[in-house]
Amino acid sequence: MTKLDDFVLGLIERYFGIDLGGHPDVLEALHLFELAGGSWLFHQGDSGDALYFLVRGRLQVWREGGAGRPTELLGEVVPGESVGEVGLLTHAPRTGSVRAIRDSLLVRVDRRSFERLTERYPALVLKLAASVAERLQRNTSTERRARPELKTIAIIALDDSPDLLALVDRLVDDLAAPPDALALRPEGLTQLGAPEMLTSSATDLQTSLKHWIGSLEDDRRLIVYRSGPRDGAWLRFAVRQADLVVRVASATATPELRPWERSLEVAPHAWQGARQILLMTHPVGQHAVRDTRAWLEHRPALTPLHLRVDLPRDHARIVRVLSGRGLGLVLGGGAARGFAHLGVYRAMVELGVPVDWVGGTSMGAIMAASIALDLPVDETIAYARKAFVDGRPFTDYTLPIVSLLRGRRMQALSAEYFGAAIEDLPIPFFCVSSNLGSGELNLHERGPLWRATCASAALPGVMPPAIHQHQLAVDGAMLNNLPVDIMQDKLVQDVVAVDLTSRRQSDVSFEEVPSPWAILRGRLLPFTRRYSLPGAATMILKATELGTRRRVMELAARADLLLQPPVHRFGMLQVSHFDQVVDAGYEYALEHVAAWLEKRELG
């Protein structure tokens, strides 16, 4: 029995929880084969005639639409997992399509072989059924689903300038610094014990070299491939193998596609399945990021990140994000209570908890945008105070034909403070709004920051709707007031969510709602009964909270740390309490974030 046989048999044993060692009939039923990245294992509707175990690589499961086109990603299959078990047990056609997104090594067990094995090992069927039930439960659960761990990262220098290559080398070394990570460079493979030498003229890697590299993945948490633009076969292999492909560019260079990028763009399945990042490096002294859009016009599928080379905090953030260890901060809506987000942020800064990605809804989107500018925390709070207390955006009342407020003051303040493009923000940012026509969620990750925040905070009836892609957009809180689910799709490990929705019940002392005149008399005339009722704007805000409360509770439960500052004693439009609301968020977060950090260290 070869070492590969031992490994495959161990994989099957771990999957079924049964000792199968020493049984040649088991090995005869296992058929080992390779599937190239981008190739289909089977299609929806095919006969369920076999079960597959993934040894190395990665697969994606798709539900197909018309003409056999994949339309919905159902999940991923990682080494040690199986696919095709439902068809094998039920004899039904495949309910989805499976494609390799990396060069993959699989074990195939056909139905006839499996039936022979189950006659001798009947527990196999029970274990397989249990595995199917567990997967169904996991896929239908509302709890947080773990995103597949990054196992391989390709860091590719866009150009071969010495400064850029040196920066890439430093980044690769820092990513591969942990004892369970390894950096692979084409010129250093022989020193690491590779069975074959890679020549510059090679069009592809030898099979033995591929297997050797694959075996390294079994022993390491992370493999980092380093490539320059002239590394040919190595560059193509790294791209095919990577879970994350990072193209590193100097912001002072020309944004056009490089020849090697064009060759890979036209290659079938070249980037299939990998997350793609455009890492823009900015020279010493250039802290104001600009013109990222020109780069993204040629690379629309890439997510931009920024590294200002003379700021150590940028380098540390990029290492955390690229290794999947970043922290995402999600800020919910809450009108004037949203000032508490700034207090939470101040507490996180003081406790040394860096924010690597930030997103939000409504007022949470505005506060998240303030954080994404990466200004000193005191300056961030001072700007917000000037905008909302001095600027008074909640007081420009108008004839209530479309909304109670004109929204002009909010737009002017947003344009003044948020003049940047989202893609130029030093800290990655997103916010959400609601499409008034289709009822679908708008995700804002590109374009003018001020327009995105105005759309996200355009509460129907209070603020006029915004225009997004020629459609009317309103407050994101209508559909998702705490977008934890969106943050979990980013390159972050932990998600901290700040929820400001009220769960307090208040009784009233009257049997019928008083007329407007009765309310007005109580406010103006002495010795007249006063009625405590929220105003029209507050009523609309509260109604929005009620409509999304269950969804907020579901999303809040998926966060790694949920913060709920005690700010419900403050009115939702009382901007005059700015400092008290900020302090309430600060005091609460200082205690709860510190406790969370201590718990993580003990765990």
Side-chain angles (χ1 to χ4, degrees), residues 452-464:
T453 54
C454 283
S456 187
L459 186 68
V462 178
M463 290 285 186

Side-chain angles (χ1 to χ4, degrees), residues 211-249:
H211 284 323
W212 175 78
I213 293 174
S215 67
L216 295 177
E217 289 189 31
D218 300 329
D219 302 325
R220 305 278 180 162
R221 181 189 66 84
L222 181 66
I223 299 292
V224 184
Y225 296 93
R226 183 268 201 194
S227 178
R230 302 179 187 276
D231 284 333
W234 176 255
L235 191 159
R236 291 189 294 272
F237 174 78
V239 167
R240 290 200 311 271
Q241 289 301 105
D243 298 323
L244 176 68
V245 177
V246 183
R247 308 186 210 182
V248 186

Side-chain angles (χ1 to χ4, degrees), residues 166-184:
L167 187 147
V168 166
D169 277 326
R170 179 189 168 199
L171 184 61
V172 167
D173 289 339
D174 286 346
L175 285 168
D180 55 352
L182 179 67
L184 296 181

